[in-house]
Amino acid sequence: MKKLKFYLIGLIPGLIIVFFILNKKGASCTGYLPNSRVIAETLSKDFKYSENFTTEMNTYKIDEKFLKDSIITKGKVDFDRSQAQKKPCPGYLLIYPEKNPTYEITYEKCEETVTLNSLKKLR
């Protein structure tokens, strides 16, 4: 019992210190899942818009800032309906928001660029 007390006396302050140090440095464990990796890679590349996509953006009154900051960043890639293994440019289907989706985007992610092909409003 005495050993357990000493263990907890060291463990709890140690966890608190590590938590504050890592929190200040912005460390997180959220970037390792496939959805997070695909979205991070997508946002790191140059965007190209198809004519169809540009028309749909104007129709739904969506600007580029909302597209990148909300729809893509907070969206969920539907891997069942995507072509993630397609060469040379994998194709993805992204839905936003994750629950009760309102928008659906299809795009291709190549080495240097991302080509956004279609934007659909589901509701």
Side-chain angles (χ1 to χ4, degrees), residues 52-111:
N52 185 29
F53 193 88
T54 306
T55 305
E56 290 163 345
M57 275 180 66
N58 293 333
T59 303
Y60 303 134
K61 296 179 175 60
I62 295 174
D63 62 346
E64 189 173 358
K65 181 173 177 25
F66 179 72
L67 177 71
K68 288 182 179 180
D69 293 346
S70 293
I71 296 177
I72 294 176
T73 302
K74 298 174 185 170
K76 174 147 177 40
V77 177
D78 186 348
F79 288 101
D80 292 335
R81 296 169 50 200
S82 296
Q83 300 168 336
Q85 303 303 319
K86 188 175 127 187
K87 300 287 181 190
C89 300
Y92 294 98
L93 181 113
L94 183 125
I95 55 173
Y96 170 81
E98 190 172 341
K99 295 182 181 178
N100 302 321
T102 305
Y103 295 105
E104 186 177 272
I105 294 175
T106 58
Y107 66 93
E108 291 180 338
K109 182 174 61 80
C110 298
E111 282 290 318

Side-chain angles (χ1 to χ4, degrees), residues 5 24 32 55 90 99 115-116:
K5 286 181 187 177
K24 285 183 182 176
Y32 295 107
T55 305
K99 295 182 181 178
T115 305
L116 296 153

